[in-house]
């Protein structure tokens, strides 16, 4: 249920109606619409008398939300969410460009790449310290040492860090370095982990599961938000289909779909979607043209010898050129890089 | 097998080597590379002595083609195929814009839409006279009357006509009006029909099957080409996946994939892919940004009352605006609309 | 719309009501329910006055059919359709066993296999004369010569012949030998071909398309039936999914689904579904246990050298054993082989 | 790498070669083949001199394993794994029948169902205490109270308990009641959780992820096994495809595939696969006919009012009948219920 307040309703009146509703055991989320405040209700609404609310002189109208996601719903929060992270942001006019290697390998590697992508226009540094791998025998990341290196790269470049957290008991440790906590595609429905990052005070980058529908994707965001963390960034990274030419099939229709259903920012990962370095450019352009709020791109200074995903990483020079042409496309959509 | 001739090899020499090879029972397709001629061989190559060809003073090098498609292969024909249809073209610098209603309904409808899309910048008029429908009880198109109306629209606007042909015995009749013969997604592996349009002297617009891989898609083009018709336009129109929010899932990675594998032009149908009118704009932009050679878009003056696919058709005014912003994106890629 | 007549309504009354309805421009299909006659109506029902029919003293009740398929609907025809073909049948108590090579290769091959499968208990001989192939350069079948050889095998063994027809203009020729006309998976929505086999007087074996839903599958059967040919056999042969270990994914839930929705017989092709010879046995057993009305199995006397699909063909000895264990499973379900 | 020892090699010799290999920093897993011992090696094999091992008089032969899964590989362990749990077992001649409600709701419910399924022939009781749900607002299980009730049901009936564990920090608590720890489909690639149950001393029932390939499925089993827990039961529960008639598409080809690739037992969950109660019978029969080692079936005494998944639960009476006919099919395959 969503309650739209009249224009110019005083803040004290908003607080008063919020209090009354909370006494009836439901949770109230206040957000600002274009001209007035909006009250989103979740939880137990059995004791609420809709007629009574309707009669309140400050209430403009009441809407019921038919979609199963509430906090992530555009109806609850008509304005797009713009998440500020240090000097960077996601969801506003500025397009977020996250770039870096699949996994942190050593100091020289991460420092070089960090400086290169910064120079080229990246606004976030991505890099894996803990790596989810299909095989228990594959390289699983530098772990704590990887975090340390990311910290150094952040100190040097000022770029906020995006890195994956794979289990609840690592959230605290990863949060000491990470500015954005990434939840991988395979954990999109690891509900326990979602609830725990919902209690963290860092934005969450949630990757779409390999076979998750758009509704399930938004429901997983709802898990995070229902614990109090409303800074969720959705990331399309390709879905699993019958096609084997590409590693996954990038589904760009997710962008307009999410823009219509939700206020959350949505970005695209062309590197994992295609799994092929020469597809990163056309798919990145397509994502920005379709209205994505950002990109997360694998960049490696030595892709041939990368410890993982080398075949989908582009070199810093290529990344530099790419950002330039993306900037032109962004302008056509009234955005900037 | 592909034979690259040396630069400045005289035409008479090309003809002579072609003759010799044909005497050995294989088919020879001559195309022009950047600086010299290329001879593509299909059919029975058992009698050919590779060493002997290598020794010919005009032969630069010989390549074997590992992909199962030959005539559609970029190796056979490194230059992009640019198909000229009346004053319009597909595959060159100019982006092809095909627009019109899902099905031709009556004279007023098709004439109005035709003029509207022409004014807005369309370079082809699309419209169904014979309609493949899941149910035998649904409207199957105006058939011959539909063709007559398309003819009138063509006379009025000068736009070349793209329309579907569903069975071999209608090719002749449809060809009297159509400038491009469309093969629908459900017929992508109707090999009999492919062979027959391969004998027609009209370009063929081949839609990707709902669950066809990129290789199968190119193999179906190969069926058409192997009968002598090398003017095939490939069209991505969404594949079938688990996602139900959109009718199909648009797979834009097909564009760079086909550009790498083949010389044939590739266009995108955002209307059928999404099945939702408000997705046509972002997906069209994405397609052009990804490097598509054209678009085929459903435009209807009265979508609410369209005889089929109304929910995915956009209005002429919307189409007009769309073409303008597509034109800006095209420029960034060095193309024009 | 379906009209259930009262028990013991005389045939003359049935004819009379049928006539009246046809005068109102709809088509009437009479079938026999458990105790009484059922009239199924398709086509234009706009002129029909339901109230008036309800008042007829012989009418028990009227039902509207919400599914888009009518003639294939169990409501129209509650009794299972049992198709008699020579001494064999499909859809009754007897399980139909169709066996033979993927393609007819030569006289010795087809005669040997035909006799072997007959001895082992097959009730139909399958064999391809016209072969749909992904590549125009692959073996496309012996064509007319293949039909001739199938004719000889039929004369020798008495087994009815199942063979594919790929285009409308071959229906007549193929029908001279075939007892059952097979429509391949790639042609499941070749509506022109469906209509044409709908006019033939031979049962049609319709294979499920690689990405066809159950409803689309039944709608394609409806295309055949709406032209007058009600003897349609549905065949599950695996659908296309992300899994690549098997060629396709056999979807056995289709069997109970179709048994609930339709009166048409449904059989299973484990050879094409898996594409692996050692899976034929377990999947055949599973199909019969799930209630399939029959199986179509590739059997080859020399799979290593088969002209196509050798890797999924089983040898006659293996087939012989398999039929024995299938017979035991059939008994548990009250069926017989 | 797998080392096959000669027949009658004394145990002391086996131990001695194992010790030497471990000194070279690799892990050695000893298993018993038909006539002799087999040593499976994982981990770092760089220091091993294959020639030297070959020369050992007790070594029959050495095989390298090309599949990425080692411990789960049939080559490492040619005999089928038979897991004993109390008086029940999985993987041997006896078919395991796991039955019970989706979630434990109250004492009366679980006690009644437990006694009913026990009487009908179930060998395990299934029931969810912690429930993974797409929505944070849906019933998430009785949690600890649910575990308590499962304990009572176990005391009463003697049936071992199968219940899901959703996060690493609950393994200890759940293990106090559970005899088999279930990992849900959404957690199949929650690698952290897999490693933790790999350290538990309870068998693990691993459900196949919605879009997991057979190889990924076995790799997830490998994660559990590589931590020392070799008692893994694989469970096919339907994959996600384009078909929407059933909730998921049951992929029975997994059964012969896993039987060929691995020694681990494989069972089938027809309830979640189809999501439709009337499909449970035919799909259960099919699973047993295809060679499954067991079934896990949702049984509820009051499906209409079940707290979750009521539409796919069958009643105890139906379950009772079903087990009888499954027993007959099992016999045909040389198995027993």
């Amino acid at each position: 249920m969503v309650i739209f307040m009249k224009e110019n309703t005083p803040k004290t009146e908003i607080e008063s109606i919020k209090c009354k509703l909370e006494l009836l055991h439901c949770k109230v989320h206040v957000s600002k619409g274009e001209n007035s405040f909006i009250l989103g209700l979740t939880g137990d609404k059995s004791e609420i008398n809709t007629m009574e609310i309707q009669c309140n002189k400050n209430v403009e109208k009441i809407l019921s939300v038919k979609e199963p996601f509430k906090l992530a719903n555009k109806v609850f929060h008509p304005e797009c969410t713009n998440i500020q992270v240090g000097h960077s942001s996601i969801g506003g006019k500025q397009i977020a460009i996250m770039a870096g290697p699949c996994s942190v390998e050593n100091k020289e590697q991460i420092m070089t790449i960090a400086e290169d992508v910064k120079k080229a226009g990246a606004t976030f540094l991505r890099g894996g310290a803990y790596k989810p791998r299909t095989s228990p025998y594959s390289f699983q990341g530098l772990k704590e040492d990887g975090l340390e290196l990311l910290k150094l790269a952040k100190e040097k470049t000022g770029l906020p860090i995006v890195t994956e957290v794979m289990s609840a008991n690592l959230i605290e440790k990863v949060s000491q370095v990470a500015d954005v906590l990434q939840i991988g595609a395979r954990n999109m429905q690891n509900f326990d982990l979602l609830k725990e990052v919902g209690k963290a005070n860092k934005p969450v980058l949630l990757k779409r599961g390999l076979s998750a529908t758009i509704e399930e994707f938004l429901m997983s965001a709802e898990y995070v938000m229902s614990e109090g963390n409303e800074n969720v960034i959705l990331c399309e990274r390709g879905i699993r289909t019958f096609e084997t030419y590409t590693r996954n099939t990038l589904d760009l229709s997710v962008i307009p779909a999410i823009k219509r259903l939700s206020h959350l920012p949505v970005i695209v990962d062309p590197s994992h979607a295609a799994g092929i370095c020469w597809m990163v450019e056309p798919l990145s352009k397509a994502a920005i043209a379709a209205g994505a709020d950002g990109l997360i791109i694998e960049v490696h200074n030595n892709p041939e010898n990368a410890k993982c995903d080398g075949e989908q990483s582009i070199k810093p020079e290529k990344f530099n050129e790419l950002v330039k042409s993306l900037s032109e496309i962004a302008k056509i959509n009234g955005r900037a890089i």
Side-chain angles (χ1 to χ4, degrees), chain A:
Chain A
M1 189 191 287
V2 190
I3 303 170
F4 293 81
M5 304 305 293
K6 284 191 184 148
E7 224 178 310
N8 303 324
T9 304
K11 271 219 164 177
T12 51
E13 292 289 322
I14 303 285
E15 275 310 307
S16 146
I17 195 168
K18 180 169 184 277
C19 269
K20 277 186 209 158
L21 290 164
E22 283 171 347
L23 284 173
L24 300 171
H25 307 107
C26 74
K27 287 192 188 176
V28 182
H29 307 261
V30 181
S31 58
K32 240 181 134 169
E34 223 170 313
N35 307 308
S36 65
F37 284 90
I38 293 165
L39 276 56
L41 277 60
T42 61
D44 181 9
K45 278 157 289 181
S46 58
E47 292 180 45
I48 290 175
N49 183 334
T50 313
M51 285 299 284
E52 211 184 299
I53 302 172
Q54 195 86 71
C55 293
N56 184 308
K57 67 179 193 312
N58 294 306
V59 168
E60 178 73 37
K61 63 173 175 177
I62 299 178
L63 261 187
S64 69
V65 179
K66 63 172 199 300
E67 288 89 3
F69 44 95
K70 312 292 175 198
L71 303 173
N73 204 307
K74 207 173 178 83
V75 177
F76 259 54
H77 191 305
E79 215 171 88
C80 287
T81 287
N82 184 353
I83 302 171
Q84 198 66 32
V85 187
H87 298 301
S88 303
S89 72
I90 314 167
K93 199 194 165 188
Q94 194 72 21
I95 301 284
I97 304 288
M98 301 171 175
C102 181
S103 53
V104 180
E105 294 171 23
N106 56 57
K107 188 173 165 187
E108 203 212 321
Q109 175 237 25
I110 190 68
M111 296 308 264
T112 310
I113 298 175
E115 294 190 77
D116 284 348
V117 299
K118 160 100 184 192
K119 237 178 286 170
T123 53
F124 290 82
L125 177 66
R126 62 148 293 156
Y130 296 86
K131 298 296 306 168
R133 302 300 297 271
T134 304
S135 166
Y137 311 125
S138 299
F139 172 63
Q140 313 253 328
L142 292 185
K143 299 181 183 174
E144 287 173 63
D145 294 344
L147 290 178
E148 277 311 307
L149 295 175
L150 285 171
K151 203 174 156 189
L152 291 178
K154 181 178 168 175
E155 284 164 8
K156 181 85 179 189
T157 60
L159 291 177
I161 302 295
V162 182
T163 198
E164 180 160 354
V165 58
M166 283 173 65
S167 76
N169 60 33
L170 285 168
I171 294 174
E172 211 187 308
K173 182 175 285 165
V174 173
S175 293
Q176 285 163 16
V177 171
D179 297 287
V180 176
L181 297 171
Q182 180 178 318
I183 300 294
R186 288 169 188 79
N187 276 326
M188 194 203 83
Q189 291 194 317
N190 178 345
F191 300 122
D192 181 63
L193 183 58
L194 296 178
K195 283 181 189 168
E196 294 304 318
V197 295
K199 293 170 193 155
N201 63 348
K202 300 275 179 181
V204 172
L205 191 160
L206 180 66
K207 290 203 153 188
R208 184 183 185 186
L210 270 76
S211 62
T213 62
I214 292 173
E215 188 174 300
E216 288 168 344
F217 193 13
L218 286 167
M219 289 310 296
S220 285
E222 191 81 11
Y223 258 99
V224 178
M225 297 173 88
S226 70
E227 296 292 333
N229 188 345
E230 304 207 350
N231 291 323
V232 180
I233 303 147
L234 300 164
C235 178
E236 161 65 25
R237 44 78 75 216
I239 55 173
R240 192 159 265 187
T241 69
F242 63 84
E243 177 61 76
T244 54
Y245 190 82
T246 45
R247 192 200 271 188
N248 296 285
T249 299
L250 184 64
D251 177 12
L252 287 180
S253 50
V254 160
I255 299 171
I258 285 177
K259 288 284 165 204
R260 195 175 187 90
L261 296 168
S262 178
H263 53 90
L264 296 174
V266 55
I267 68 167
V268 168
D269 177 346
S271 311
H272 280 88
I276 304 172
C277 59
W278 52 264
M279 281 209 184
V280 171
E281 185 198 323
L283 295 182
S284 295
K285 287 176 168 179
I288 296 303
D293 293 305
L295 291 165
I296 181 162
I297 296 176
E298 289 196 4
V299 177
H300 200 286
N301 51 352
N302 188 5
E304 297 75 19
N305 297 308
K307 285 222 167 180
C308 79
D309 287 348
E311 69 288 350
Q312 72 196 35
S313 297
I314 59 172
K315 291 198 175 181
E317 310 84 74
K318 177 77 192 162
F319 176 68
N320 191 40
E321 277 173 51
L322 174 59
V323 175
K324 278 179 195 145
S325 55
L326 292 176
S327 164
E328 295 182 73
I329 295 176
K331 260 179 237 163
I332 294 170
N333 279 346
R335 307 289 288 267
I337 289 184

